[in-house]
Amino acid sequence: MGSEVKKEVGLPPRPPRSAQAKLRWRLLSRAIVPSRQETVGTAIDGELKKVSRRPGGRYNLVPYRVVTSQTKPGIVEEESLIASRLNGKDILLEYTIPVPPSVKLKVRQKHSINLQDFARSQKSAIDNTGIICLWPAEEVLTYFCAGHPELFRNKTVIELGAGYGLGGLAIAACTDAAEVIITDGNPAVVDYIEQNVKANRLAFGNTEVSASTLYWSREEVPLSGRTFDLVVAADCTFFKDFHADLVHTIKCLLGTSKDSKAILFNPRRGNTLDMFVEAAESLGLHVEIREQYDAHLWSVHQQLLNGDRKGWPNYDTNHCYPLFLTVTWRHTQLA
């Protein structure tokens, strides 16, 4: 029955042998992930749940609430989530960035993904992970960047693989960056980013903020050769097949100033992070990796490792904890 269900949703019954087909299998396995079961007990829902790689929890560094059209005292979270659907498919979340002056950002995102979302991504040969949820590394990026506004003052910033864009929105709202461009390779996700930029426009002050579709490709120079002071990204190194494209994109976007750099937050995930570092260094970039870079996050990480895993039962360092990578031109290390 399992093989029949996989055929019905577009998955082959087992990983194929060719390199291209193997990549397609992995993309499909990661892409088809409903955020909440709409139809309980169906065979398809059960099969989709099996291939899900969604995170099992969050660090709770950036508090949020579900925005509902009607506030009811004592309403439970599940009821709030259902009540807050927009057009039956979206929800609106209000994130509180925990740095003075405690900025609130509203982020519209999909309530659940369906086979149509997957089909659109498959047709465009793009990854669908950005439309699934807020990944833990993006929460860490948001928290860290908002807490270090000095890094972004008067800088031009671009976020890669931004998903719904919380990290870039927080940088725009909590720092004095000159410009922030929030990008993703999935046009459907970029539509949401554009809506979220408009919804939070008053929080950005004098910072210029925009959204853009940006594909990583070693064959092209992105954004007509434009460069930036800072490139930021979270959890973008898990697909080894895309390392060369991602590194080329980062290299093209980095400015020539000695202060230009990329700030990445990525779990190690087996050897994928090491392979990304090798790819970056092969193109003349220098990568510095830090494990401890924020005292509060490190404390939460240690609590999770020591057994306090309520709400995140599958937590482990290798797949969950984001390391802090700084990517620079190699010549800046010799200056």
Side-chain angles (χ1 to χ4, degrees):
M1 181 177 178
S3 295
E4 294 175 357
V5 172
K6 287 183 180 181
K7 288 179 181 178
E8 184 175 353
V9 298
L11 285 171
R14 60 183 60 84
R17 294 184 178 181
S18 72
Q20 183 177 4
K22 283 181 180 178
L23 175 58
R24 178 176 177 271
W25 169 271
R26 291 215 303 274
L27 287 173
L28 299 190
S29 297
R30 191 174 178 97
I32 309 179
V33 189
S35 63
R36 193 167 296 271
Q37 227 169 298
E38 294 286 342
T39 308
V40 180
T42 67
I44 291 180
D45 283 333
E47 200 61 42
L48 294 182
K49 190 173 182 180
K50 288 180 184 178
V51 298
S52 170
R53 297 184 188 178
R54 290 192 65 202
R58 61 194 306 271
Y59 289 107
N60 295 318
L61 302 172
V62 183
Y64 76 95
R65 72 179 184 90
V66 180
V67 178
T68 61
S69 58
Q70 188 174 21
T71 303
K72 298 180 180 179
I75 190 170
V76 299
E77 181 180 357
E78 178 67 15
E79 292 173 342
S80 295
L81 185 62
I82 295 174
S84 68
R85 293 187 187 184
L86 306 176
N87 300 324
K89 62 180 181 178
D90 295 344
I91 60 173
L92 186 63
L93 303 179
E94 182 182 75
Y95 290 92
T96 300
I97 311 301
V99 296
S102 188
V103 174
K104 296 184 184 297
L105 297 172
K106 288 184 172 59
V107 176
R108 181 170 179 164
Q109 62 186 63
K110 291 187 72 66
H111 178 264
S112 63
I113 69 170
N114 53 41
L115 297 182
Q116 286 72 34
D117 298 316
F118 159 69
R120 284 192 290 268
S121 296
Q122 183 185 15
K123 184 177 180 180
S124 302
I126 54 176
D127 174 22
N128 204 19
T129 54
I131 208 167
I132 295 172
C133 63
L134 176 72
W135 294 87
E138 178 77 3
E139 181 189 15
V140 171
L141 181 149
T142 300
Y143 172 79
F144 181 88
C145 293
H148 294 79
E150 70 282 356
L151 296 176
F152 303 93
R153 188 168 295 116
N154 299 322
K155 304 291 188 181
T156 55
V157 184
I158 185 169
E159 182 178 10
L160 306 179
Y164 293 107
L166 181 62
L169 295 172
I171 293 172
C174 300
T175 77
D176 292 322
E179 180 184 9
V180 177
I181 299 181
I182 308 172
T183 74
D184 199 275
N186 189 333
V189 178
V190 175
D191 288 343
Y192 280 89
I193 298 175
E194 291 175 343
Q195 294 179 58
N196 293 331
V197 169
K198 292 178 181 177
N200 295 283
R201 184 71 67 183
L202 294 179
F204 301 147
N206 295 323
T207 301
E208 183 179 344
V209 187
S210 60
S212 178
T213 301
L214 178 60
Y215 301 101
W216 308 337
S217 173
R218 74 196 82 176
E219 308 297 334
E220 300 177 7
V221 176
L223 300 181
S224 302
R226 190 180 167 191
T227 60
F228 296 81
D229 299 312
L230 287 165
V231 179
V232 300
D235 211 352
C236 286
T237 65
F238 48 82
F239 282 140
K240 293 178 284 188
D241 308 83
F242 298 155
H243 284 172
D245 296 311
L246 175 57
V247 169
H248 174 80
T249 300
I250 291 174
K251 182 175 181 179
C252 289
L253 293 171
L254 282 177
T256 56
S257 165
K258 65 182 181 64
D259 296 324
S260 182
K261 59 186 174 183
I263 297 175
L264 313 179
F265 292 87
N266 298 276
R268 192 169 291 280
R269 296 186 188 273
N271 68 343
T272 59
L273 187 62
D274 294 331
M275 294 181 67
F276 169 79
V277 172
E278 291 178 6
E281 293 182 341
S282 72
L283 287 186
L285 299 175
H286 174 80
V287 182
E288 179 182 340
I289 302 177
R290 294 171 59 189
E291 183 178 25
Q292 297 186 44
Y293 49 89
D294 181 86
H296 177 58
L297 172 61
W298 185 253
S299 175
V300 174
H301 170 59
Q302 293 300 315
Q303 291 174 21
L304 288 165
L305 290 180
N306 292 331
D308 185 11
R309 300 187 184 183
K310 184 178 179 180
W312 204 340
N314 62 341
Y315 185 83
D316 73 88
T317 299
N318 182 54
H319 291 92
C320 302
Y321 182 74
L323 300 175
F324 178 29
L325 280 68
T326 304
V327 183
T328 58
W329 290 100
R330 187 173 295 161
H331 67 73
T332 65
Q333 302 300 313
L334 304 176

